[in-house]
Amino acid sequence: MSSADPFDSALDLLRRLDPKHTSRNLDRICSVVPDLTEDLLSSVDQPLEIRRCKKSGRDYLLCDYNRDGDSYRSPWSNEFDPPLSDGTVPSEKVRKMEERANEAFDIYRELYYSGGVSSVYFWNLDDGFAGVVLLKKTASPAGKSEGGWDSIHVFEAVDRARTAHYKLTSTIILHLSNTSEGLGDMNLSGNMTRQTEMDLPIDDDSSHIANIGKVRHRSVSEYIEGKRLTTKQLVEDMELKMRNLLQEVYFGKTKDVVGDLRSIPPLTERNKDKATYQEMMSSMKQ
């Protein structure tokens, strides 16, 4: 019998550990099997880290897509920290789109998240370009409560005459925790990944920004050459769908399970009500 592949075993182990501590568990696995470091860092989504751009003074998010060795590229200055002379950067055309996308999603972040940090990174492909949209919001600690939301949207855009084919893979990482005397320790953590593909019309490079993320606010529409962003776009639609799915399915199901396990009224009272109900049903059948 052949032995299991170490990479698959590492991924399988990470799926069974607490999602809240993915970064810590990933570091420990990489220290045990250093040969898997690059493959694991490029394959495993983990909570995003924040760093401040030394040149612009603005915060940006770290991920594998803006990493080159041990350095990370700032979307605001296009420079690496620590400095890297031969780091990989997008072409001039793609860089201009990246700059406009960062400004547009900065407004999107403020409108939808009322805080947090956003970053957008683009890179060149042979027949188009690709990129990632990152959004992070951490809840302000209130007592012993804390929470965090990380959105990672990776996309590819391939030009086809007057349309572009987009392929989007979105991952949301969520963790909520609370500690109280009545509740005890509560930790709800997990991640969700969804994919979609879509063909959308394009007129010029600014159409890509509008297609990737829809922002209905007028200031954003004016920012992108005065064009209204009214097309059915990818990131906003995907985030709305995933938020609704989390609310209705995951949180709703958890609430139902907890409600079935925990009895707020005394059991004697519930049993009495149940007996009365059964007696009424029996009398109606006679």
Side-chain angles (χ1 to χ4, degrees):
M1 182 177 179
S2 60
S3 59
D5 181 69
F7 180 70
D8 292 337
S9 299
L11 293 178
D12 192 50
L13 177 60
L14 286 169
R15 280 192 288 266
R16 284 166 168 76
L17 296 174
D18 188 351
K20 182 180 178 181
H21 303 300
T22 298
S23 298
R24 184 179 67 186
N25 295 330
L26 186 59
D27 290 340
R28 291 177 175 176
I29 293 176
C30 291
S31 65
V32 175
V33 194
D35 294 341
L36 297 179
T37 300
E38 287 296 327
D39 291 334
L40 287 174
L41 289 177
S42 61
S43 303
V44 178
D45 292 315
Q46 51 185 317
L48 302 167
E49 297 182 17
I50 302 175
R51 181 175 293 183
R52 176 150 295 183
C53 177
K54 295 180 180 179
K55 185 174 182 179
S56 66
R58 302 181 68 172
D59 291 336
Y60 64 97
L61 298 170
L62 311 184
C63 69
D64 192 61
Y65 299 101
N66 71 320
R67 180 176 66 89
D68 194 333
D70 295 327
S71 300
Y72 291 89
R73 182 172 66 90
S74 166
W76 308 115
S77 64
N78 202 32
E79 297 179 357
F80 283 89
D81 182 24
L84 195 64
S85 59
D86 58 347
T88 303
V89 296
S91 65
E92 182 179 354
K93 175 183 176 181
V94 174
R95 171 59 184 164
K96 289 181 179 179
M97 289 194 294
E98 182 185 77
E99 291 175 338
R100 300 170 73 182
N102 273 284
E103 295 297 335
F105 273 99
D106 190 52
I107 299 175
Y108 172 92
R109 169 199 56 77
E110 188 61 36
L111 290 173
Y112 278 80
Y113 290 86
S114 299
V117 182
S118 66
S119 294
V120 183
Y121 302 101
F122 286 178
W123 59 91
N124 294 82
L125 296 177
D126 293 337
D127 52 356
F129 72 100
V132 60
V133 178
L134 308 174
L135 296 156
K136 182 179 183 68
K137 176 69 180 289
T138 56
S140 302
K144 296 182 179 180
S145 300
E146 63 176 8
W149 172 287
D150 296 87
S151 295
I152 305 171
H153 304 276
V154 184
F155 68 89
E156 293 181 2
V158 179
D159 292 334
R160 296 176 178 175
R162 295 184 179 180
T163 64
H165 180 75
Y166 298 92
K167 182 178 181 181
L168 176 70
T169 301
S170 297
T171 299
I172 288 179
I173 304 172
L174 175 70
H175 82 267
L176 299 170
S177 62
N178 184 49
T179 302
S180 64
E181 294 183 0
L183 180 64
D185 295 332
M186 187 276 292
N187 179 17
L188 180 62
S189 303
N191 58 66
M192 177 195 301
T193 300
R194 293 292 185 271
Q195 291 184 329
T196 187
E197 294 187 38
M198 192 178 301
D199 291 315
L200 294 173
I202 56 172
D203 297 323
D204 50 30
D205 291 343
S206 63
S207 300
H208 286 297
I209 312 302
N211 290 339
I212 293 166
K214 177 182 178 182
V215 188
R216 293 181 182 274
H217 199 268
R218 180 171 176 80
S219 62
V220 184
S221 301
E222 293 173 345
Y223 176 79
I224 303 178
E225 296 184 358
K227 295 187 177 181
R228 298 292 296 175
L229 307 186
T230 56
T231 315
K232 180 180 176 61
Q233 281 86 5
L234 299 174
V235 171
E236 183 188 27
D237 290 340
M238 180 63 80
E239 284 212 330
L240 288 174
K241 291 177 182 177
M242 296 179 78
R243 275 199 293 264
N244 290 335
L245 189 60
L246 283 169
Q247 178 67 32
E248 297 173 6
V249 178
Y250 290 85
F251 285 101
K253 187 63 176 179
T254 300
K255 184 177 179 181
D256 291 341
V257 171
V258 172
D260 291 339
L261 292 175
R262 181 186 179 189
S263 176
I264 298 178
L267 288 176
T268 53
E269 182 177 337
R270 292 194 62 181
N271 291 334
K272 182 178 179 181
D273 292 341
K274 185 177 180 180
T276 302
Y277 171 77
Q278 292 177 343
E279 182 180 351
M280 292 179 60
M281 294 299 296
S282 298
S283 62
M284 292 176 63
K285 294 179 180 179
Q286 293 178 356

